[in-house]
Amino acid sequence: LKILQMEVDKKLSQLQELKEDLDQMFAQKDEVERDKVKKLSMIYQKRDPSGAAATLASMDKYLAVSILSMMRDKSAGKILDQMDKKTAVEYSTALGRLKRLQSNDE
């Protein structure tokens, strides 16, 4: 039984190490994605609001909202003003939820 217990403990230790490695890899992946979204937000922030609005409205909602969330509020507002009402409401609602979640995390 002691030998089996030692083997189980060893396996648990290995699994814990693997879990920590995976957690670190996911954190790195998240950081890379955040950096890419931040760069995109700077690009869209510099674009004409109507062109940016059209492009953001046609892309994945999660990505579009992430891009808008990293912009200055004034720029994001100008872009949202150029979207159709339904899309602007959806994105604004998602932005509000995202901002609440971020402030709760801090």
Side-chain angles (χ1 to χ4, degrees), residues 7 19 23 29 38 41-42 45-46 50-51 54-55 66 74 76 80-82 89 91 94 105:
E7 287 180 28
K19 182 189 177 304
D23 289 344
K29 176 188 160 282
K38 187 172 185 173
S41 73
M42 292 188 318
Q45 193 165 267
K46 292 176 184 176
S50 62
T55 306
S66 296
K74 186 175 181 178
L80 288 168
D81 284 344
Q82 297 297 315
V89 168
Y91 285 21
D105 287 344

Side-chain angles (χ1 to χ4, degrees), residues 62-106:
Y62 176 79
L63 177 58
V65 170
S66 296
I67 291 170
L68 287 167
S69 74
M70 292 193 174
M71 288 183 180
R72 289 188 307 261
D73 291 344
K74 186 175 181 178
S75 297
K78 286 180 181 179
I79 291 171
L80 288 168
D81 284 344
Q82 297 297 315
M83 291 181 175
D84 67 86
K85 185 178 178 179
K86 181 182 177 190
T87 304
V89 168
E90 283 181 35
Y91 285 21
S92 296
T93 302
L95 275 169
R97 288 183 182 138
L98 184 64
K99 299 263 184 189
R100 264 197 322 262
L101 287 174
Q102 288 172 345
S103 64
N104 289 342
D105 287 344
E106 295 170 354

Side-chain angles (χ1 to χ4, degrees), residues 10 15 48 60 98:
K10 183 178 176 181
L15 286 173
D48 172 63
D60 175 72
L98 184 64

